[in-house]
Amino acid sequence: MDFGLVLQTDPPASAVVGLMRRAERNGFRYGWTFDSAVLWQEPFVIYSQILEHTENLTVGPMVTNPGTRTWEVTASTFATLNDMYGNRTVCGIGRGDSAMRVAGRKPNTLARVSEAIGVIRDLAEGREADVDGQPLRLPWVRNGRLPVWMAAYGPKALALAGQKADGFILQLADLYLTESMVTAVRTAASDAGRDPDSITICVAAPAYVGDDLAHARDQCRWFGGMVGNHVADLVARYGEHSDLVPEALTSYIKAREGYDYSHHGRAGNPSTDFVPDEIVDRFCLLGPAEAHIEKLEALRDLGVDQFAVYNMHDAKEETIDVYGSEIIPALNG
């Protein structure tokens, strides 16, 4: 199993670079960041420094979207980093939550995400693509490679990930939901004539190592609120008791009362008081190292290829180090 580290690009950027370097030393193979231009610093600028100061780490956004930047700019940025550092980027993409809503825009449609996946990948790998009716190609790209992984929860998004993406990003670590959603993605891939095993499965969730479960829950409760934004969209689209969306995903947001993006993805987020302990325990990895290993083994048995650690809490360095000394070796030893 591969391991990734997920960070927000809060200033100073040097701290983000330092944590990514620490992660690589501890056996992490991927470095991910949020991508929301108003809330945090520009990630692609920081990627150049992460790549410069690491040897093998693959970096990318978790996740970008088709609306913040024009597609040729996104593709050119990835291709430039790959040309400089040797195809060490991955494009995580989705409809856009904080990046779009904070700027007063709606998340992108799935049709737009679908088109963007192909266009960005083709351009970044040196092929011609149609952008708003104009055929474009980046003539300087040589031997470019850009895997595009899609984040999804709802049935249509899961189907699209299986039909078009190179990887699937599931931002929660609940075993029941992971099994259900991985099955949906692989079934869609098979129905589209693709090899379902060719799609990389990445589960991303907060991880907090320690015996004080109450403290760990409080440090990670923000994640249930972040997931709740997407779940609220699904409930609005399909209804509270739809057969298309499992109640194991939707039932907990009944007490949700709005959301303040100024605290997005941060421990102590007051907009996430509605998230119960049960959801924190299901969606995250908490407890001593042995509990993390047990859950990660179960995720691996469900076909998960990578676990990406959301590391937004008060034990960033300690989490990276314990994963490096105990947890990653136990999974890959």
Side-chain angles (χ1 to χ4, degrees):
M1 178 181 274
D2 283 335
F3 287 83
L5 184 73
V6 189
L7 299 174
Q8 295 170 334
T9 51
D10 287 315
S14 58
V16 178
V17 176
L19 287 169
M20 292 297 187
R21 295 181 67 187
R22 190 184 197 114
E24 184 179 56
R25 292 195 300 269
N26 277 280
F28 289 75
R29 295 190 61 234
Y30 284 77
W32 301 93
T33 72
F34 282 40
D35 177 17
S36 188
V38 174
L39 296 177
W40 301 289
Q41 293 185 330
E42 172 55 38
F44 287 94
V45 177
I46 299 172
Y47 294 158
S48 66
Q49 289 298 299
I50 296 172
L51 291 165
E52 175 68 25
H53 290 91
T54 57
E55 295 182 3
N56 299 300
L57 202 70
T58 295
V59 304
M62 188 177 282
V63 293
T64 194
N65 72 87
T68 304
R69 305 172 184 86
T70 60
W71 301 349
E72 69 272 18
V73 170
T74 298
S76 181
T77 304
F78 277 114
T80 300
L81 292 171
N82 283 338
D83 187 64
M84 293 172 67
Y85 298 105
N87 288 338
R88 289 169 55 199
T89 67
V90 57
C91 176
I93 195 168
R95 294 178 61 230
D97 177 33
S98 61
M100 299 297 288
R101 287 182 163 122
V102 168
R105 307 184 187 107
K106 293 181 179 180
N108 297 270
T109 65
L110 287 178
R112 188 164 174 80
V113 175
S114 176
E115 186 180 0
I117 288 172
V119 168
I120 292 169
R121 181 169 51 207
D122 283 346
L123 290 175
E125 295 185 346
R127 295 182 294 277
E128 183 178 286
D130 184 279
V131 183
D132 296 328
Q134 179 71 29
L136 297 178
R137 187 175 71 85
L138 305 181
W140 49 269
V141 174
R142 298 289 184 273
N143 302 314
R145 181 177 179 273
L146 182 65
V148 181
W149 297 6
M150 182 180 166
Y153 294 111
K156 293 181 180 179
L158 293 168
L160 177 57
Q163 292 158 3
K164 297 203 67 171
D166 301 298
F168 164 49
I169 297 171
L170 175 57
Q171 291 160 307
L172 54 79
D174 177 80
L175 297 180
Y176 168 76
L177 292 172
T178 297
E179 181 176 20
S180 171
M181 293 182 183
V182 168
T183 298
V185 169
R186 294 207 187 280
T187 299
S190 180
D191 290 346
R194 305 180 67 198
D195 177 3
D197 293 328
S198 69
I199 300 173
T200 303
I201 305 297
C202 174
V203 161
Y208 198 104
V209 184
D211 295 322
D212 188 343
L213 278 179
H215 181 72
R217 286 169 179 148
D218 286 343
Q219 287 292 301
C220 298
R221 198 174 307 277
W222 62 265
F223 184 66
M226 188 184 83
V227 173
N229 289 330
H230 304 284
V231 173
D233 285 347
L234 294 175
V235 170
R237 187 173 299 116
Y238 297 105
E240 279 190 43
H241 305 291
S242 170
D243 292 337
L244 297 173
V245 183
E247 286 200 32
L249 177 63
T250 63
S251 61
Y252 81 98
I253 69 161
K254 291 178 181 177
R256 180 179 182 268
E257 297 179 356
Y259 191 81
D260 182 354
Y261 279 94
S262 65
H263 304 286
H264 188 58
R266 299 186 187 281
N269 185 340
S271 297
T272 62
D273 292 344
F274 71 93
V275 180
D277 289 349
E278 178 210 357
I279 289 294
V280 183
D281 292 348
R282 282 172 43 202
F283 285 12
C284 304
L285 272 71
L286 311 174
E290 295 78 14
H292 290 243
I293 293 167
E294 181 180 0
K295 191 164 186 178
L296 287 165
E297 288 175 339
L299 288 168
R300 185 178 59 187
D301 290 343
L302 294 175
V304 174
D305 301 298
Q306 178 184 154
F307 178 66
V309 176
Y310 275 102
N311 205 28
M312 280 70 79
H313 49 56
D314 64 2
K316 295 181 178 67
E317 292 84 359
E318 295 89 338
T319 298
I320 293 169
D321 291 347
V322 173
Y323 263 72
S325 63
E326 299 182 46
I327 297 171
I328 294 176
L331 270 292
N332 296 329

